[in-house]
């Protein structure tokens, strides 16, 4: 039970689209990630996902629209909703995510960007 400094934890890694677990809360995990460019279209059939933008601007693409999520804001992607996180203009965006521990990185989609394990930092 010690405070976790999110900026310090983000400084521990540089890879984009490689989530790192910083804590667990019951069956949920708290994750940090750095993203840049466009990810993979995917959905999580049984889990919601919460994204908080700590730095930069997230463009959460849905099939019918794109939601712009600014620094200090969150967006919740409901289970079963196909989405594709992205950034623009080569901007690196820092995220905090909150999701169930069994949530697969890219849902049922397998892609070269898919991560099967999240390092704990």
């Amino acid at each position: 039970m010690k405070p976790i400094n999110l900026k310090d934890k983000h400084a521990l890694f540089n890879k984009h689209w490689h989530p790192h677990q910083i804590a667990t809360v019951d069956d949920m995990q708290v994750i940090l990630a750095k993203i840049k460019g466009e990810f993979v279209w995917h959905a999580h059939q049984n889990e919601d996902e919460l994204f908080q933008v700590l730095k930069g601007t997230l463009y959460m693409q849905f099939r019918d629209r794109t939601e712009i999520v600014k620094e200090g804001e969150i967006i919740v992607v409901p289970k079963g909703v196909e989405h594709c996180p992205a950034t623009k203009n080569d901007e690196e965006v820092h995220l905090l995510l909150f999701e169930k521990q069994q949530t697969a990185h890219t849902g049922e989609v397998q892609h070269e960007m898919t991560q099967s394990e999240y390092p704990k930092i």
Side-chain angles (χ1 to χ4, degrees), residues 69-81:
V69 189
K70 298 176 183 172
E71 196 169 304
E73 295 181 334
I74 67 169
I75 188 166
V76 176
V77 179
K79 62 181 71 86
V81 175

Side-chain angles (χ1 to χ4, degrees), residues 2 11 25 34 42 49 57 62 72 80 86-87 94 104 107 113 116:
K2 293 189 182 265
V25 181
K34 292 179 180 180
H42 66 286
E49 267 186 309
T57 302
F62 300 102
T87 70
H94 293 192
M113 296 173 85
S116 59

